[in-house]
Amino acid sequence: MPRSKTASKVPGKPGRQLLFSEALRQQKHLPTADSSPPSHATMSEDAQGVSMDRILQEISAVGRKLEGMDNAMTALTAETRSMGLEIAGFQSQISRLDHRVATVARQVAVQTDRDQELLHLRSKLTDLEDRSRRNNIRFLGFPEDIEGTDILSYLQDTLPKLADITFDPPLEFQRAHRLGLKRQNGKDRPRPIIACFL
């Protein structure tokens, strides 16, 4: 079987084999290993390098901004937590004040009830003292309506004359009035006069 010329090797002549390969590459228009790329490719690679540097710079700037935002969020979270604690403290103080106000309101209500009860008791005591029967004197036989409209003045003027006694100081009455309903008939027995001396 005959051997191909391209595959044959001539022993002892390597230079000839290299020349043949070089000629074969030139015929097929293949670029050689040391051939340089076109100039526009070099410019494209330079532009890509510049754009990559710019992208990296922008990413770095965005990273710095995000880091600043993260720090701001951390500070805001701490401040919010501090404000929450302060609000909780205020709520606790308000709750205590509400409790104290409610307690004071109950005490004031109790004191008001006691004051009203005390006033009522004082009024009753005064009424009982004023109406004590020990100082009351009953006068009988005075004709009906003889005292006119001022029974106290009538008694102050009439009693010293009837008793023929001069009182110094003059007599003082706390109250005086007639007992019972007024007589419709002048012939009926007149009502007694009750007078309370001071």
Side-chain angles (χ1 to χ4, degrees), residues 92-110:
S92 178
Q93 291 180 2
I94 290 172
S95 178
R96 288 196 298 270
L97 288 175
D98 286 342
H99 179 69
R100 292 175 64 181
V101 167
T103 303
V104 170
R106 286 194 297 269
Q107 292 177 354
V108 168
V110 171

Side-chain angles (χ1 to χ4, degrees), residues 7 26 28 71 74 76-77 87 91 93-94 98 103 105-106 120 124-125 128 133 135 138-139 145 165 171 183 188:
Q26 286 179 1
K28 293 184 177 180
N71 294 333
T74 303
L76 183 60
T77 302
I87 291 172
Q91 288 177 346
Q93 291 180 2
I94 290 172
D98 286 342
T103 303
R106 286 194 297 269
H120 180 65
K124 288 181 69 175
L125 179 61
L128 289 174
R133 293 172 183 246
N135 297 328
R138 181 181 292 188
F139 299 99
D145 292 332
I165 299 173
L171 292 175
R183 302 289 191 259
D188 293 337

Side-chain angles (χ1 to χ4, degrees), residues 12-61:
K13 295 182 179 179
R16 185 176 177 183
Q17 184 178 358
L18 290 175
L19 289 175
F20 180 74
S21 299
E22 186 69 24
L24 184 62
R25 283 195 189 116
Q26 286 179 1
Q27 288 178 0
K28 293 184 177 180
H29 303 287
L30 293 175
T32 59
D34 57 350
S35 62
S36 61
S39 62
H40 67 277
T42 304
M43 292 177 59
S44 176
E45 287 180 359
D46 292 340
Q48 287 179 359
V50 171
S51 62
M52 286 298 293
D53 290 340
R54 187 173 299 170
I55 290 172
L56 289 175
Q57 290 176 358
E58 291 179 359
I59 290 174
S60 177

Side-chain angles (χ1 to χ4, degrees), residues 157-177:
D157 293 338
T158 306
L159 290 180
K161 294 177 183 177
L162 291 175
D164 195 15
I165 299 173
T166 301
F167 294 97
D168 188 20
L171 292 175
E172 292 185 13
F173 298 93
Q174 185 171 5
R175 70 169 60 87
H177 60 89

Side-chain angles (χ1 to χ4, degrees), residues 85-195:
L85 293 175
E86 290 181 1
I87 291 172
F90 290 151
Q91 288 177 346
S92 178
Q93 291 180 2
I94 290 172
S95 178
R96 288 196 298 270
L97 288 175
D98 286 342
H99 179 69
R100 292 175 64 181
V101 167
T103 303
V104 170
R106 286 194 297 269
Q107 292 177 354
V108 168
V110 171
Q111 188 64 35
T112 303
D113 293 340
R114 288 179 181 174
D115 290 343
Q116 290 178 355
E117 184 178 1
L118 182 60
L119 289 174
H120 180 65
L121 292 175
R122 284 180 178 174
S123 177
K124 288 181 69 175
L125 179 61
T126 303
D127 187 63
L128 289 174
E129 288 177 350
D130 292 344
R131 293 179 180 273
S132 176
R133 293 172 183 246
R134 291 177 299 176
N135 297 328
N136 286 349
I137 295 179
R138 181 181 292 188
F139 299 99
L140 302 174
F142 286 93
E144 198 76 29
D145 292 332
I146 194 173
E147 69 276 7
T149 58
D150 190 358
I151 191 170
L152 293 178
S153 297
Y154 174 76
L155 291 177
Q156 286 174 349
D157 293 338
T158 306
L159 290 180
K161 294 177 183 177
L162 291 175
D164 195 15
I165 299 173
T166 301
F167 294 97
D168 188 20
L171 292 175
E172 292 185 13
F173 298 93
Q174 185 171 5
R175 70 169 60 87
H177 60 89
R178 287 187 179 266
L179 291 177
L181 297 174
K182 186 175 182 179
R183 302 289 191 259
Q184 299 298 330
N185 189 355
K187 297 179 180 180
D188 293 337
R189 184 175 165 182
R191 295 172 297 164
I193 296 175
I194 297 292

